[in-house]
Amino acid sequence: MTLRHLAQQSRRDASLRMPTGLRHHMTANALVFVLDGSFLVGLKVLAHSMIQHRTLLDLPVIVLSNDSTLADDPFVKEFADRFVHVTPSAVSRFDGISHELVRESLRLDWIPKYTFLKWLIFDDWGVDQLIWIDADVLCTGNVDHLTELRHHELYAAEVFQPTMHTTQEGEVLPAEQCDENILRHANGDAPLGASLNSGVMVINKPLLDRQFQAELIRAAKEEPFENEQQVVRAVLERRGARGWLSPFDNFHHSYVMRLSDAARDLVLPRIRLLHFIGPKGKPWQRRPQVHATKELWWAAHDDAIRSSDLYDDPST
């Protein structure tokens, strides 16, 4: 299945029919997602927003989850070419990873943090490239260019740092300085050794191999880490195999809200993937009264619901 197939099952838009002769070329790369049931509504809205922007429409889709019931969800059935149930045996590979630095609210009894399961995507899926997008991301622009990133083994964007809006002592910076810092980050090149956000990744061979997955797990067992992306960064730095995505391909939504109205008007039209980072404040957890970025998410959500009952969300 593909986003194009999903679109045909909902709106049945003739303009989204597969061009003649294209399908046999669509085996070099794929979209991949790892989630549990609590993020299914996020994945539905992400998929619909990608359809809205006519992007990555013909990539096959792989979905991994420790929740086997997702395989029976009508949306997942139409969307995923492959559904992989993450079994206790697969999870056991993560035994021995410390949760010492993982925030207590995010720790789990069976794994230090759910996002460590993201490393299961580092495997041989029969493609040359995987594109990973977290399910708490909204597509707000075309990202077809991601498929052209082939020079490095992995591409990801830099983390938005708190020092863009607060001092080391925790004092809020003046609005003009905050604007300047965020705009400089958005428009600049990432410095060497910068941090990495794994919410959007382009992964090329040879990282599509279980040996790299084992290397990540081994590194995580050697010393404690706060989250999985710190391990990925550390291992990639040893390999020298990393490329950078533009911040507009993984833009932290709360930093949009920290901008002045004038600066926000400059930034929002350029964002292609808007990331609702953090354990709290996911858009689907409650409908905001006034919140520009979450209103964008809810607009996509409501449009999806109108387009097809595949997107129905009983929790809202």
Side-chain angles (χ1 to χ4, degrees):
M1 315 312 189
T2 61
L3 286 163
R4 191 184 299 275
H5 170 82
L6 191 62
Q8 291 172 339
Q9 298 308 304
S10 53
R11 289 177 170 167
R12 305 189 184 278
D13 188 337
S15 69
L16 287 169
R17 289 177 183 165
M18 172 70 78
T20 303
L22 183 62
R23 181 170 295 277
H24 71 280
H25 294 298
M26 295 294 107
T27 57
N29 39 30
L31 291 167
V32 62
F33 306 94
V34 179
L35 71 155
D36 61 12
S38 66
F39 275 73
L40 181 57
V41 62
L43 179 61
K44 291 180 178 182
V45 174
L46 169 60
H48 182 72
S49 66
M50 293 174 74
I51 291 170
Q52 287 178 313
H53 291 280
R54 303 294 203 267
T55 193
L56 303 179
L57 291 178
D58 298 306
L59 274 61
V61 176
I62 305 166
V63 174
L64 295 83
S65 179
N66 63 311
D67 182 354
S68 61
T69 64
L70 287 189
D72 297 321
D73 181 87
F75 169 85
V76 174
K77 282 184 174 181
E78 293 291 348
F79 185 43
D81 291 83
R82 292 181 64 180
F83 178 88
V84 179
H85 178 218
V86 178
T87 63
S89 175
V91 174
S92 69
R93 300 178 208 165
F94 299 85
D95 290 348
I97 296 178
S98 172
H99 63 225
E100 177 184 339
L101 297 184
V102 176
R103 194 182 310 172
E104 189 172 355
S105 62
L106 302 177
R107 296 176 186 173
L108 299 170
D109 292 338
W110 53 283
I111 197 171
K113 187 178 178 182
Y114 190 88
T115 52
F116 277 89
L117 291 185
K118 189 180 295 187
W119 294 348
L120 295 176
I121 68 177
F122 295 103
D123 209 334
D124 184 359
W125 299 100
V127 296
D128 298 325
Q129 182 189 75
L130 284 182
I131 295 177
W132 163 277
I133 305 175
D134 276 356
D136 57 355
V137 170
L138 179 71
C139 182
T140 55
N142 190 288
V143 291
D144 284 354
H145 63 281
L146 297 182
T147 64
E148 300 170 4
L149 301 177
R150 302 279 182 167
H151 181 69
H152 295 286
E153 292 177 346
L154 185 145
Y155 292 81
E158 184 186 0
V159 171
F160 282 73
Q161 299 290 351
T163 51
M164 295 180 193
H165 57 82
T166 56
T167 66
Q168 296 287 355
E169 294 75 28
E171 297 178 0
V172 178
L173 293 173
E176 297 82 1
Q177 190 172 350
C178 181
D179 281 355
E180 181 181 347
N181 291 343
I182 295 174
L183 291 173
R184 184 188 305 115
H185 173 80
N187 294 306
D189 295 326
L192 292 176
S195 52
L196 172 153
N197 184 278
S198 62
V200 179
M201 295 186 291
V202 178
I203 306 160
N204 296 310
K205 287 186 173 181
L207 299 192
L208 297 177
D209 187 299
R210 193 169 292 187
Q211 290 183 359
F212 182 70
Q213 180 189 127
E215 186 177 352
L216 292 173
I217 293 172
R218 186 165 55 250
K221 291 179 179 180
E222 290 173 354
E223 59 178 297
F225 287 88
E226 184 178 353
N227 54 53
E228 100 291 333
Q229 61 196 26
Q230 292 177 352
V231 188
V232 174
R233 172 195 170 189
V235 172
L236 288 176
E237 282 182 346
R238 295 202 295 261
R239 296 172 65 98
R242 178 177 49 168
W244 288 106
L245 296 180
S246 163
F248 292 108
D249 291 321
N250 186 358
F251 211 101
H252 195 318
H253 86 103
S254 71
Y255 285 72
V256 177
M257 301 310 300
R258 294 182 186 279
L259 292 167
S260 66
D261 290 345
R264 189 180 306 156
D265 289 343
L266 292 173
V267 164
L268 263 179
R270 299 177 62 191
I271 296 173
R272 294 178 287 266
L273 293 171
L274 185 61
H275 193 175
F276 294 89
I277 294 171
K280 297 180 180 179
K282 300 302 182 190
W284 57 87
Q285 291 174 336
R286 68 183 182 88
R287 194 152 192 152
Q289 293 180 334
V290 180
H291 202 304
T293 54
K294 291 185 179 180
E295 287 175 353
L296 288 173
W297 188 93
W298 277 102
H301 170 276
D302 293 348
D303 190 66
I305 295 294
R306 286 191 295 268
S307 73
S308 171
D309 57 9
L310 288 174
Y311 296 100
D312 284 349
D313 174 25
S315 67
T316 60

